[in-house]
Amino acid sequence: MSNQHQAHPGTLSVWAGEEKNMWQGSTQVPVVHSVAFGYPDVDGWLDVALGREPGHIYSRNTNPTVQAFEEKVRQLEGAEGATSFATGMAAISNTLFTLLSPGDRVVSVKDTYGGTSKIFLEFLPRFQIKVDLCDTTDHAAIEAAIAQGCRVLYLESPTNPTLKVMDMARLAQAAHQVGAVVVADNTFATPINQNPLALGVDLVLHSATKFLGGHADALGGVVCGAASLVERIYHFREINGATLEPMAAYLLLRGMKTLHLRIRQQNESALQIARFLVQQPQVSQVFYPGLESHEHHDVARRQMRGFGGVLSFMLKGGFDAVRAFLPRLRYAHLAANLGAVETIAGPPATTSHVECTPEEREAMGIPEGLIRYSVGIEETADLIADLRQALE
Ligand SMILES: *Cc1c(COP(=O)(O)O)cnc(C)c1O
Protein backbone atom coordinates (compact mmCIF):
# COMPACT_ATOMS: atom_id res chain seq x y z
CA MET A 1 0.00 0.00 0.00
CA SER A 2 1.43 3.38 -0.95
CA ASN A 3 1.97 6.03 1.72
CA GLN A 4 -0.21 8.35 -0.33
CA HIS A 5 -3.29 6.22 0.22
CA GLN A 6 -5.75 8.05 2.50
CA ALA A 7 -7.70 5.56 4.60
CA HIS A 8 -11.48 5.86 4.70
CA PRO A 9 -13.39 6.84 7.86
CA GLY A 10 -14.46 3.23 8.41
CA THR A 11 -10.82 2.14 8.61
CA LEU A 12 -9.79 5.13 10.74
CA SER A 13 -12.58 4.34 13.23
CA VAL A 14 -10.95 0.98 13.80
CA TRP A 15 -7.22 1.78 13.67
CA ALA A 16 -6.51 5.49 14.13
CA GLY A 17 -4.75 6.67 17.28
CA GLU A 18 -4.09 3.27 18.77
CA GLU A 19 -0.63 2.13 17.68
CA LYS A 20 1.40 4.67 19.66
CA ASN A 21 -0.44 3.89 22.88
CA MET A 22 -0.17 0.09 22.92
CA TRP A 23 1.84 -1.65 25.65
CA GLN A 24 3.91 -4.86 25.54
CA GLY A 25 2.31 -6.05 22.34
CA SER A 26 -1.27 -5.53 23.42
CA THR A 27 -3.68 -5.22 20.51
CA GLN A 28 -6.04 -3.00 22.51
CA VAL A 29 -5.20 0.35 24.08
CA PRO A 30 -4.64 -0.22 27.83
CA VAL A 31 -6.59 1.77 30.40
CA VAL A 32 -3.86 3.69 32.19
CA HIS A 33 -5.29 4.29 35.65
CA SER A 34 -2.41 6.38 36.85
CA VAL A 35 -2.72 9.91 38.19
CA ALA A 36 0.94 10.72 37.61
CA PHE A 37 3.87 9.40 35.53
CA GLY A 38 7.24 8.71 37.13
CA TYR A 39 10.76 9.50 35.87
CA PRO A 40 14.11 8.04 36.93
CA ASP A 41 15.86 11.40 36.76
CA VAL A 42 14.96 15.08 36.83
CA ASP A 43 16.40 15.95 33.40
CA GLY A 44 14.17 13.48 31.52
CA TRP A 45 11.21 14.64 33.60
CA LEU A 46 11.98 18.26 32.77
CA ASP A 47 12.20 17.49 29.03
CA VAL A 48 8.64 16.14 29.11
CA ALA A 49 7.36 18.92 31.40
CA LEU A 50 8.72 21.55 29.03
CA GLY A 51 7.36 19.78 25.95
CA ARG A 52 10.81 18.96 24.50
CA GLU A 53 10.02 15.23 24.62
CA PRO A 54 6.68 13.40 24.28
CA GLY A 55 5.31 11.88 27.48
CA HIS A 56 2.96 12.44 30.37
CA ILE A 57 3.28 14.24 33.70
CA TYR A 58 -0.14 14.23 35.34
CA SER A 59 -3.47 12.84 34.09
CA ARG A 60 -5.42 16.09 34.51
CA ASN A 61 -3.22 17.32 31.63
CA THR A 62 -2.61 14.25 29.47
CA ASN A 63 -3.01 10.48 29.74
CA PRO A 64 -2.14 7.75 27.17
CA THR A 65 -5.65 6.23 26.96
CA VAL A 66 -7.22 9.66 26.65
CA GLN A 67 -4.67 10.65 24.01
CA ALA A 68 -5.55 7.60 21.89
CA PHE A 69 -9.19 8.70 21.89
CA GLU A 70 -8.27 12.29 20.94
CA GLU A 71 -6.08 11.04 18.11
CA LYS A 72 -8.83 8.81 16.68
CA VAL A 73 -11.33 11.68 16.55
CA ARG A 74 -8.66 14.07 15.22
CA GLN A 75 -8.00 11.83 12.24
CA LEU A 76 -11.71 11.24 11.57
CA GLU A 77 -12.37 14.99 11.52
CA GLY A 78 -9.26 15.69 9.40
CA ALA A 79 -7.98 18.15 12.03
CA GLU A 80 -4.54 19.36 13.03
CA GLY A 81 -5.27 19.04 16.74
CA ALA A 82 -7.82 17.59 19.17
CA THR A 83 -8.41 17.77 22.89
CA SER A 84 -10.96 16.01 25.06
CA PHE A 85 -13.25 16.69 28.02
CA ALA A 86 -15.29 15.00 30.72
CA THR A 87 -18.54 15.70 28.83
CA GLY A 88 -19.84 17.36 25.69
CA MET A 89 -20.94 20.38 27.73
CA ALA A 90 -17.40 20.71 29.10
CA ALA A 91 -16.13 20.78 25.50
CA ILE A 92 -18.64 23.51 24.63
CA SER A 93 -18.16 25.68 27.72
CA ASN A 94 -14.35 25.36 27.70
CA THR A 95 -14.28 26.33 24.03
CA LEU A 96 -16.52 29.37 24.51
CA PHE A 97 -14.74 30.57 27.68
CA THR A 98 -11.35 30.18 25.97
CA LEU A 99 -12.36 32.22 22.94
CA LEU A 100 -14.52 34.94 24.53
CA SER A 101 -13.67 37.92 26.76
CA PRO A 102 -15.82 40.67 28.31
CA GLY A 103 -17.10 43.05 25.63
CA ASP A 104 -17.06 40.36 22.92
CA ARG A 105 -20.07 39.35 20.90
CA VAL A 106 -21.12 35.85 19.89
CA VAL A 107 -23.63 35.02 17.18
CA SER A 108 -25.56 31.76 17.27
CA VAL A 109 -29.05 30.39 16.71
CA LYS A 110 -32.15 30.01 18.89
CA ASP A 111 -32.38 26.25 19.08
CA THR A 112 -28.93 25.03 19.96
CA TYR A 113 -28.75 22.10 22.39
CA GLY A 114 -30.46 23.01 25.70
CA GLY A 115 -27.26 23.16 27.77
CA THR A 116 -25.55 25.29 25.12
CA SER A 117 -28.42 27.75 25.07
CA LYS A 118 -28.17 28.00 28.88
CA ILE A 119 -24.53 29.09 28.48
CA PHE A 120 -25.66 31.71 25.98
CA LEU A 121 -28.63 32.99 28.00
CA GLU A 122 -27.49 32.58 31.60
CA PHE A 123 -23.70 32.45 31.90
CA LEU A 124 -22.04 34.46 29.12
CA PRO A 125 -24.08 37.64 29.82
CA ARG A 126 -22.71 37.63 33.40
CA PHE A 127 -19.27 38.16 31.90
CA GLN A 128 -20.48 41.08 29.75
CA ILE A 129 -20.41 38.92 26.63
CA LYS A 130 -23.17 39.86 24.21
CA VAL A 131 -25.12 37.00 22.69
CA ASP A 132 -27.16 37.34 19.52
CA LEU A 133 -29.36 34.29 18.86
CA CYS A 134 -30.87 34.29 15.37
CA ASP A 135 -33.66 32.28 13.78
CA THR A 136 -31.98 28.99 13.00
CA THR A 137 -32.94 28.66 9.36
CA ASP A 138 -32.87 32.37 8.43
CA HIS A 139 -29.44 32.50 6.83
CA ALA A 140 -29.82 36.16 5.80
CA ALA A 141 -30.59 37.16 9.41
CA ILE A 142 -27.57 35.20 10.67
CA GLU A 143 -25.35 36.89 8.05
CA ALA A 144 -26.70 40.31 9.07
CA ALA A 145 -25.92 39.57 12.73
CA ILE A 146 -22.41 38.42 11.80
CA ALA A 147 -21.81 41.54 9.72
CA GLN A 148 -22.25 43.68 12.84
CA GLY A 149 -19.00 42.10 14.07
CA CYS A 150 -18.49 39.13 16.39
CA ARG A 151 -15.70 37.09 17.96
CA VAL A 152 -17.42 33.71 17.61
CA LEU A 153 -20.04 32.21 15.32
CA TYR A 154 -21.46 29.10 16.97
CA LEU A 155 -23.32 26.57 14.79
CA GLU A 156 -25.04 23.23 15.35
CA SER A 157 -26.27 21.23 12.38
CA PRO A 158 -28.47 19.26 12.32
CA THR A 159 -30.03 20.74 15.44
CA ASN A 160 -31.36 18.92 18.47
CA PRO A 161 -34.28 18.06 18.42
CA THR A 162 -35.91 19.64 15.33
CA LEU A 163 -33.18 18.61 12.84
CA LYS A 164 -32.75 22.01 11.25
CA VAL A 165 -29.83 22.30 8.85
CA MET A 166 -27.50 25.27 8.48
CA ASP A 167 -25.37 26.02 5.45
CA MET A 168 -21.98 25.90 7.20
CA ALA A 169 -19.84 26.89 4.20
CA ARG A 170 -21.95 29.99 3.56
CA LEU A 171 -22.05 31.10 7.21
CA ALA A 172 -18.34 30.36 7.82
CA GLN A 173 -17.46 32.57 4.89
CA ALA A 174 -19.52 35.44 6.33
CA ALA A 175 -17.91 34.96 9.75
CA HIS A 176 -14.38 34.96 8.36
CA GLN A 177 -15.03 38.33 6.70
CA VAL A 178 -15.34 39.84 10.19
CA GLY A 179 -12.48 37.76 11.64
CA ALA A 180 -14.70 35.51 13.79
CA VAL A 181 -13.85 31.96 14.85
CA VAL A 182 -16.48 29.48 13.64
CA VAL A 183 -17.40 26.64 16.00
CA ALA A 184 -19.74 23.79 15.02
CA ASP A 185 -21.36 21.08 17.16
CA ASN A 186 -21.17 17.93 15.01
CA THR A 187 -22.71 15.56 17.56
CA PHE A 188 -25.75 14.64 15.45
CA ALA A 189 -23.94 14.05 12.17
CA THR A 190 -20.69 12.44 13.45
CA PRO A 191 -17.52 12.57 11.28
CA ILE A 192 -18.94 9.67 9.25
CA ASN A 193 -21.74 11.86 7.86
CA GLN A 194 -20.19 15.32 7.89
CA ASN A 195 -16.81 17.06 8.35
CA PRO A 196 -17.43 20.73 9.25
CA LEU A 197 -13.71 21.61 9.02
CA ALA A 198 -13.82 20.74 5.31
CA LEU A 199 -16.70 23.24 4.97
CA GLY A 200 -14.63 26.10 6.41
CA VAL A 201 -15.50 25.75 10.10
CA ASP A 202 -12.55 26.41 12.47
CA LEU A 203 -13.44 24.19 15.44
CA VAL A 204 -15.65 21.11 15.41
CA LEU A 205 -16.87 19.64 18.68
CA HIS A 206 -18.78 16.57 19.84
CA SER A 207 -20.64 15.19 22.75
CA ALA A 208 -18.79 11.85 22.51
CA THR A 209 -21.42 10.56 24.93
CA LYS A 210 -23.74 10.13 21.97
CA PHE A 211 -22.84 8.50 18.64
CA LEU A 212 -19.05 8.39 19.02
CA GLY A 213 -19.24 6.13 22.09
CA GLY A 214 -22.52 4.72 20.87
CA HIS A 215 -23.23 2.46 23.84
CA ALA A 216 -24.68 4.90 26.39
CA ASP A 217 -22.12 3.87 29.00
CA ALA A 218 -19.60 6.72 29.04
CA LEU A 219 -19.66 10.53 29.03
CA GLY A 220 -17.13 12.53 27.05
CA GLY A 221 -16.49 15.49 24.80
CA VAL A 222 -13.91 16.50 22.20
CA VAL A 223 -12.87 19.58 20.20
CA CYS A 224 -10.84 19.45 16.94
CA GLY A 225 -9.33 22.14 14.73
CA ALA A 226 -6.17 24.14 14.05
CA ALA A 227 -3.38 23.26 16.50
CA SER A 228 -3.04 26.88 17.65
CA LEU A 229 -6.72 27.12 18.66
CA VAL A 230 -6.87 23.64 20.18
CA GLU A 231 -3.73 24.40 22.22
CA ARG A 232 -5.45 27.41 23.83
CA ILE A 233 -8.56 25.35 24.66
CA TYR A 234 -6.43 22.51 26.04
CA HIS A 235 -4.62 24.98 28.29
CA PHE A 236 -7.93 26.29 29.67
CA ARG A 237 -9.16 22.73 30.26
CA GLU A 238 -5.98 21.50 31.98
CA ILE A 239 -6.35 24.34 34.48
CA ASN A 240 -10.09 24.18 35.09
CA GLY A 241 -9.90 20.39 35.19
CA ALA A 242 -12.82 19.11 33.09
CA THR A 243 -10.69 16.13 32.09
CA LEU A 244 -11.87 12.93 30.39
CA GLU A 245 -11.41 9.82 32.58
CA PRO A 246 -9.14 7.04 31.22
CA MET A 247 -11.90 4.44 31.67
CA ALA A 248 -14.39 6.62 29.78
CA ALA A 249 -11.77 7.18 27.07
CA TYR A 250 -11.36 3.40 26.75
CA LEU A 251 -15.12 2.83 26.45
CA LEU A 252 -15.37 5.58 23.83
CA LEU A 253 -12.42 4.09 21.89
CA ARG A 254 -14.03 0.67 21.96
CA GLY A 255 -17.37 2.08 20.88
CA MET A 256 -15.77 3.95 18.00
CA LYS A 257 -14.45 0.74 16.43
CA THR A 258 -17.96 0.17 15.07
CA LEU A 259 -18.80 3.82 14.41
CA HIS A 260 -19.10 3.56 10.64
CA LEU A 261 -21.16 0.35 10.79
CA ARG A 262 -23.56 1.81 13.33
CA ILE A 263 -23.94 5.09 11.46
CA ARG A 264 -24.51 3.32 8.14
CA GLN A 265 -27.32 1.26 9.71
CA GLN A 266 -28.78 4.23 11.60
CA ASN A 267 -28.77 6.47 8.49
CA GLU A 268 -30.60 3.80 6.55
CA SER A 269 -33.17 3.01 9.26
CA ALA A 270 -33.87 6.66 10.11
CA LEU A 271 -34.63 7.46 6.47
CA GLN A 272 -36.99 4.50 6.14
CA ILE A 273 -38.70 5.33 9.44
CA ALA A 274 -39.09 9.01 8.49
CA ARG A 275 -40.71 7.96 5.20
CA PHE A 276 -43.00 5.58 7.10
CA LEU A 277 -44.05 8.22 9.65
CA VAL A 278 -44.87 10.81 6.99
CA GLN A 279 -47.61 8.47 5.73
CA GLN A 280 -49.26 7.86 9.11
CA PRO A 281 -52.53 9.74 9.74
CA GLN A 282 -51.75 10.17 13.48
CA VAL A 283 -48.52 12.04 12.68
CA SER A 284 -48.78 15.75 11.88
CA GLN A 285 -45.15 16.50 11.02
CA VAL A 286 -41.83 14.69 10.61
CA PHE A 287 -38.44 16.39 10.91
CA TYR A 288 -35.57 14.63 9.12
CA PRO A 289 -33.02 16.21 6.76
CA GLY A 290 -33.13 13.15 4.49
CA LEU A 291 -36.74 13.83 3.50
CA GLU A 292 -37.14 15.73 0.21
CA SER A 293 -39.76 17.86 2.00
CA HIS A 294 -37.21 19.10 4.59
CA GLU A 295 -36.71 22.88 4.37
CA HIS A 296 -32.96 22.56 3.73
CA HIS A 297 -32.73 19.13 2.15
CA ASP A 298 -30.58 20.59 -0.65
CA VAL A 299 -28.06 22.02 1.83
CA ALA A 300 -28.06 18.74 3.76
CA ARG A 301 -27.34 16.81 0.57
CA ARG A 302 -24.45 19.12 -0.24
CA GLN A 303 -22.75 19.04 3.15
CA MET A 304 -23.66 15.58 4.50
CA ARG A 305 -22.84 12.06 3.30
CA GLY A 306 -25.74 10.61 5.31
CA PHE A 307 -28.57 12.26 7.23
CA GLY A 308 -28.00 10.72 10.65
CA GLY A 309 -29.78 8.49 13.13
CA VAL A 310 -32.07 11.02 14.83
CA LEU A 311 -35.47 12.20 13.65
CA SER A 312 -38.36 13.87 15.40
CA PHE A 313 -42.09 13.97 14.79
CA MET A 314 -45.31 15.46 16.13
CA LEU A 315 -48.49 13.60 16.98
CA LYS A 316 -51.83 15.17 16.16
CA GLY A 317 -53.06 14.83 19.77
CA GLY A 318 -50.32 17.07 21.22
CA PHE A 319 -48.62 16.31 24.56
CA ASP A 320 -51.46 14.01 25.73
CA ALA A 321 -50.94 11.83 22.67
CA VAL A 322 -47.17 11.80 23.33
CA ARG A 323 -47.81 10.69 26.92
CA ALA A 324 -50.00 7.80 25.72
CA PHE A 325 -47.77 6.83 22.80
CA LEU A 326 -44.29 6.63 24.32
CA PRO A 327 -44.87 3.87 26.91
CA ARG A 328 -46.34 1.67 24.15
CA LEU A 329 -43.01 1.44 22.34
CA ARG A 330 -41.50 -2.00 22.90
CA TYR A 331 -38.06 -1.26 21.42
CA ALA A 332 -37.16 2.17 22.79
CA HIS A 333 -35.73 3.36 26.06
CA LEU A 334 -37.65 6.38 27.27
CA ALA A 335 -34.56 8.26 28.35
CA ALA A 336 -32.62 11.52 27.96
CA ASN A 337 -29.97 10.26 25.59
CA LEU A 338 -29.39 9.59 21.90
CA GLY A 339 -26.92 8.00 19.53
CA ALA A 340 -26.83 4.59 21.21
CA VAL A 341 -27.17 1.07 19.80
CA GLU A 342 -30.64 0.89 21.37
CA THR A 343 -33.45 3.11 20.07
CA ILE A 344 -34.25 5.95 22.48
CA ALA A 345 -37.31 8.18 22.46
CA GLY A 346 -38.59 11.10 24.49
CA PRO A 347 -40.06 14.61 24.41
CA PRO A 348 -37.76 17.70 24.53
CA ALA A 349 -39.18 18.62 27.96
CA THR A 350 -37.36 15.63 29.50
CA THR A 351 -34.45 15.24 27.07
CA SER A 352 -32.55 17.84 25.04
CA HIS A 353 -34.22 20.84 26.67
CA VAL A 354 -34.86 19.58 30.19
CA GLU A 355 -32.96 22.61 31.56
CA CYS A 356 -35.34 25.06 29.86
CA THR A 357 -38.77 26.34 30.87
CA PRO A 358 -41.83 25.75 28.61
CA GLU A 359 -41.66 29.45 27.68
CA GLU A 360 -37.99 29.14 26.67
CA ARG A 361 -38.73 26.05 24.57
CA GLU A 362 -41.61 27.90 22.93
CA ALA A 363 -39.32 30.85 22.15
CA MET A 364 -36.79 28.46 20.59
CA GLY A 365 -39.50 27.01 18.35
CA ILE A 366 -39.49 23.60 20.06
CA PRO A 367 -43.09 22.29 20.25
CA GLU A 368 -44.20 20.47 23.44
CA GLY A 369 -45.91 17.76 21.35
CA LEU A 370 -42.65 16.68 19.74
CA ILE A 371 -41.06 13.24 20.04
CA ARG A 372 -37.33 12.83 19.46
CA TYR A 373 -36.57 9.36 18.16
CA SER A 374 -32.94 8.23 18.10
CA VAL A 375 -32.76 5.14 15.93
CA GLY A 376 -30.66 2.27 17.26
CA ILE A 377 -29.07 -0.56 15.31
CA GLU A 378 -32.07 -2.92 15.57
CA GLU A 379 -33.59 -4.34 12.37
CA THR A 380 -35.45 -1.54 10.62
CA ALA A 381 -38.56 -3.69 10.03
CA ASP A 382 -38.89 -4.36 13.77
CA LEU A 383 -38.70 -0.67 14.60
CA ILE A 384 -41.32 0.20 11.99
CA ALA A 385 -43.60 -2.57 13.28
CA ASP A 386 -43.11 -1.24 16.81
CA LEU A 387 -44.00 2.32 15.79
CA ARG A 388 -47.04 1.07 13.88
CA GLN A 389 -48.48 -0.85 16.86
CA ALA A 390 -47.79 2.09 19.22
CA LEU A 391 -49.56 4.52 16.87
CA GLU A 392 -52.60 2.26 16.62
C1 LIG B 1 -25.89 15.74 24.43
C2 LIG B 1 -25.45 16.88 23.61
C3 LIG B 1 -24.52 17.80 24.12
C4 LIG B 1 -23.99 17.73 25.53
O1 LIG B 1 -23.21 16.60 25.75
P1 LIG B 1 -22.98 15.92 27.19
O2 LIG B 1 -21.97 14.86 26.90
O3 LIG B 1 -24.30 15.41 27.65
O4 LIG B 1 -22.46 17.00 28.09
C5 LIG B 1 -24.12 18.83 23.28
N1 LIG B 1 -24.61 18.96 22.02
C6 LIG B 1 -25.51 18.10 21.51
C7 LIG B 1 -26.00 18.29 20.12
C8 LIG B 1 -25.96 17.03 22.28
O5 LIG B 1 -26.87 16.19 21.78
Side-chain angles (χ1 to χ4, degrees):
M1 194 169 68
S2 109
N3 289 334
Q4 257 59 54
H5 181 81
Q6 174 57 46
H8 293 83
T11 304
L12 295 176
S13 304
V14 178
W15 288 96
E18 308 220 341
E19 196 178 352
K20 200 178 84 193
N21 296 292
M22 295 302 188
W23 191 66
Q24 294 208 349
S26 68
T27 63
Q28 302 304 314
V29 174
V31 190
V32 182
H33 280 303
S34 185
V35 166
F37 299 84
Y39 291 87
D41 61 76
V42 173
D43 285 340
W45 192 1
L46 210 52
D47 281 340
V48 174
L50 297 176
R52 291 195 291 247
E53 291 292 333
H56 305 280
I57 298 285
Y58 188 65
S59 281
R60 170 156 48 75
N61 312 61
T62 67
N63 169 283
T65 317
V66 171
Q67 214 161 55
F69 165 72
E70 291 168 344
E71 179 61 15
K72 198 184 279 294
V73 184
R74 184 191 74 76
Q75 290 194 33
L76 280 163
E77 285 292 11
E80 213 179 22
T83 193
S84 63
F85 303 85
T87 65
M89 279 316 303
I92 293 165
S93 59
N94 279 253
T95 299
L96 290 171
F97 281 102
T98 299
L99 297 173
L100 294 163
S101 303
D104 282 347
R105 198 162 156 270
V106 48
V107 172
S108 189
V109 293
K110 286 204 174 107
D111 63 344
T112 49
Y113 174 72
T116 310
S117 73
K118 277 281 155 191
I119 295 187
F120 288 143
L121 297 170
E122 187 176 333
F123 294 103
L124 292 183
R126 275 180 34 205
F127 295 90
Q128 282 75 53
I129 294 160
K130 289 185 225 60
V131 179
D132 196 345
L133 302 184
C134 304
D135 270 342
T136 306
T137 54
D138 188 344
H139 286 74
I142 301 170
E143 282 171 332
I146 293 167
Q148 289 170 37
C150 59
R151 177 80 61 195
V152 169
L153 170 67
Y154 186 95
L155 305 174
E156 183 183 320
S157 183
T159 59
N160 182 358
T162 51
L163 287 302
K164 298 193 180 96
V165 169
M166 277 163 261
D167 188 334
M168 290 197 261
R170 172 176 165 181
L171 296 173
Q173 196 181 20
H176 288 152
Q177 279 172 7
V178 299
V181 176
V182 184
V183 182
D185 184 335
N186 201 29
T187 301
F188 265 43
T190 82
I192 303 297
N193 284 334
Q194 173 175 280
N195 291 117
L197 299 179
L199 300 166
V201 164
D202 301 299
L203 288 165
V204 56
L205 54 83
H206 290 271
S207 167
T209 314
K210 313 292 173 51
F211 287 102
L212 294 187
H215 291 71
D217 55 4
L219 294 156
V222 60
V223 175
C224 310
S228 57
L229 283 173
V230 170
E231 187 63 35
R232 284 172 56 201
I233 299 166
Y234 159 75
H235 179 58
F236 190 79
R237 190 269 287 156
E238 70 171 336
I239 301 308
N240 87 45
T243 305
L244 182 64
E245 278 279 310
M247 190 61 207
Y250 171 79
L251 290 168
L252 297 172
L253 272 172
R254 179 158 118 154
M256 285 182 70
K257 303 251 179 176
T258 55
L259 181 66
H260 70 299
L261 298 177
R262 288 187 279 112
I263 299 300
R264 197 185 290 165
Q265 173 71 23
Q266 287 164 320
N267 285 343
E268 174 64 32
S269 284
L271 185 58
Q272 285 192 43
I273 290 168
R275 287 181 176 152
F276 163 78
L277 288 171
V278 163
Q279 292 166 353
Q280 305 312 304
Q282 303 91 335
V283 174
S284 60
Q285 215 177 338
V286 181
F287 304 91
Y288 187 65
L291 292 174
E292 280 83 12
S293 57
H294 185 280
E295 189 187 358
H296 289 116
H297 178 64
D298 55 331
V299 179
R301 281 184 57 164
R302 229 181 303 132
Q303 69 188 16
M304 303 179 81
R305 291 181 288 271
F307 303 109
V310 184
L311 56 98
S312 59
F313 57 99
M314 298 223 314
L315 295 180
K316 280 189 183 147
F319 198 68
D320 286 339
V322 171
R323 206 185 271 120
F325 169 82
L326 284 174
R328 295 178 56 105
L329 290 171
R330 164 75 181 80
Y331 297 115
H333 286 305
L334 307 189
N337 193 15
L338 62 94
V341 289
E342 301 96 2
T343 293
I344 307 168
T350 56
T351 59
S352 59
H353 290 70
V354 65
E355 299 93 347
C356 305
T357 63
E359 294 73 33
E360 284 173 333
R361 285 192 291 272
E362 164 93 43
M364 293 172 198
I366 296 163
E368 295 292 292
L370 192 77
I371 293 168
R372 186 183 69 191
Y373 190 85
S374 170
V375 181
I377 60 167
E378 303 92 342
E379 285 286 347
T380 316
D382 292 336
L383 295 179
I384 289 177
D386 193 30
L387 286 161
R388 179 178 282 123
Q389 65 77 26
L391 284 170
E392 282 161 5

